[in-house]
Amino acid sequence: MRLITHLRHVDLAVPDHARQLEFYRDTWGLKPEHTDSGLTFLAAEGSPEQYVVRLRQAADKRIDLIAFGAASAADVDTLAARLATEGVRLVSEPSTLQTPGGGYGFRFFDNEGRTVEVSSDVAVRRHRTIEEGESVPVRLSHVVINSADPEGTRAFYEKHLSFALSDTLMHPRMGEMMWFMRVNAWHHSMAIARCPHPSLHHASFELRGLDEYMRGTGRVLRAGVEKIWGPGRHLAGNNTFSYFLDPSGNTMEYTTELEKLDEDSWHPHLYDFSDPAVSDQWGTANAMNEFVAQRSFNDPDKGLFQAPPV
């Protein structure tokens, strides 16, 4: 039984908090809602989540945690008990959260040592409808993680958290390379990419529509931010993509029109991404090559099996 309902936020430790904050606020279009010394919670204007990105000043770049929602405190307790019984290492027992919006949740390490949080009853943020032409993120769409053991990571999230496989990308020479995983009708809330080391592959932000997505892509380009790949439209998920590097070298994506599935009738595809139409249906993006792929390998995550500060 699936007890996770949706993706809430991704928390990043960064060595240059002030520069990162300037990027996410002034260029990327997120809104700082709560700021302390070296700690900022950034919201998406169209999202009911208290925040979609947390930035924390730290010596080493890492994923602090990936947070998911649950429908009720009872579901949080049930999931925590299930994970403990199945031998998953809990970082904290279910309790009241001390982060903005409060709520009730717990944290655990996944198979490679990433910290994951599941919570319920977080206060709904006052948000608004994004207007036509507004090129700011509506919500956090998905997070993609690099894994040195992607088959094991997929199995962990399927077994313990009831994630479902939507589609897989493969290459004739390299084999299966990326797995798109869902927790609701969205094609993917998380994806797992094969990589020499665990790290963040990218975080993706949904914009209002195609026009807003293109306006946002152009705004970030005009700001002089390095574009890695795009604009284009993927086949898996049918979503648009423009990938950029933030000041710390994390890959961030603008997207829109991510596919919603009928979960009862969906059958996963195995797509060959050596076919250019799989990577980009439009044919407008630069070619997916080794240079593009390596930029999203990111630096090895130095925070594995180390719980971040609350």
Side-chain angles (χ1 to χ4, degrees):
M1 179 183 175
R2 185 188 294 163
L3 297 177
I4 285 178
T5 55
H6 66 291
L7 175 66
R8 285 198 189 278
H9 52 86
V10 59
D11 297 11
L12 304 174
V14 293
D16 190 348
H17 173 266
R19 194 167 169 221
Q20 289 285 99
L21 173 56
E22 180 182 29
F23 169 81
Y24 284 103
R25 178 191 63 210
D26 300 340
T27 304
W28 203 247
L30 299 179
K31 183 179 180 183
E33 288 284 33
H34 313 273
T35 300
D36 202 346
S37 177
L39 189 68
T40 302
F41 300 85
L42 294 131
E45 287 280 55
S47 172
E49 295 296 328
Q50 289 286 326
Y51 56 100
V52 294
V53 173
R54 186 184 82 163
L55 297 176
R56 180 178 66 88
Q57 175 76 36
D60 294 321
K61 181 172 71 170
R62 59 172 286 192
I63 304 172
D64 267 349
L65 67 81
I66 302 170
F68 296 94
S72 67
D75 285 353
V76 170
D77 285 335
T78 298
L79 184 57
R82 181 200 297 171
L83 294 183
T85 300
E86 293 170 346
V88 175
R89 184 174 157 196
L90 299 191
V91 174
S92 61
E93 297 287 339
S95 62
T96 301
L97 299 182
Q98 302 304 310
T99 41
Y104 181 75
F106 73 104
R107 295 177 178 179
F108 60 92
F109 291 128
D110 75 4
N111 60 306
E112 289 190 299
R114 300 173 196 84
T115 305
V116 180
E117 179 182 274
V118 177
S119 62
S120 69
D121 302 306
V122 177
V124 173
R125 176 182 173 272
R126 244 182 114 175
H127 56 293
R128 62 182 180 82
T129 302
I130 302 302
E131 301 295 334
E132 186 175 344
E134 258 192 300
S135 57
V136 298
V138 175
R139 68 182 186 98
L140 177 64
S141 173
H142 56 270
V143 173
V144 180
I145 54 175
N146 288 319
S147 173
D149 177 21
E151 290 86 359
T153 301
R154 172 192 166 186
F156 177 93
Y157 282 89
E158 287 180 335
K159 175 184 177 182
H160 298 298
L161 301 171
S162 301
F163 278 59
L165 177 70
S166 293
D167 287 316
T168 304
L169 297 184
M170 58 78 68
H171 188 279
R173 190 175 69 255
M174 297 181 285
E176 295 186 354
M177 296 297 292
M178 184 175 283
W179 296 258
F180 296 90
M181 313 295 292
R182 68 182 186 275
V183 293
N184 50 37
W186 293 109
H187 180 271
H188 56 286
S189 294
M190 189 175 81
I192 302 161
R194 188 183 300 281
C195 185
H197 52 257
S199 58
L200 177 68
H201 186 284
H202 73 268
S204 179
F205 298 80
E206 178 92 14
L207 276 77
R208 180 183 183 272
L210 277 176
D211 182 68
E212 291 77 15
Y213 153 77
M214 289 301 293
R215 288 173 184 266
T217 297
R219 186 188 68 251
V220 178
L221 280 171
R222 284 173 178 161
V225 178
E226 181 180 351
K227 177 176 69 71
I228 301 175
W229 195 27
R233 185 187 283 277
H234 294 312
L235 183 57
N238 198 40
N239 55 306
T240 62
F241 65 91
S242 296
Y243 296 92
F244 295 91
L245 284 184
D246 78 4
S248 285
N250 293 310
T251 300
M252 295 292 143
E253 179 188 29
Y254 272 167
T255 192
T256 198
E257 297 186 348
L258 180 67
E259 190 171 5
K260 275 196 166 180
L261 313 180
D262 178 349
E263 290 200 82
D264 293 331
S265 63
W266 184 260
H267 294 284
H269 305 87
L270 182 62
Y271 290 125
D272 178 357
F273 73 86
S274 66
D275 176 357
V278 169
S279 294
D280 177 21
Q281 297 181 68
W282 289 343
T284 52
N286 47 312
M288 164 47 78
N289 55 27
E290 189 174 321
F291 169 79
V292 172
Q294 286 187 340
R295 297 313 291 268
S296 292
F297 277 179
N298 214 332
D299 303 317
D301 197 314
K302 296 182 179 179
L304 302 175
F305 293 108
Q306 300 174 42
V310 175

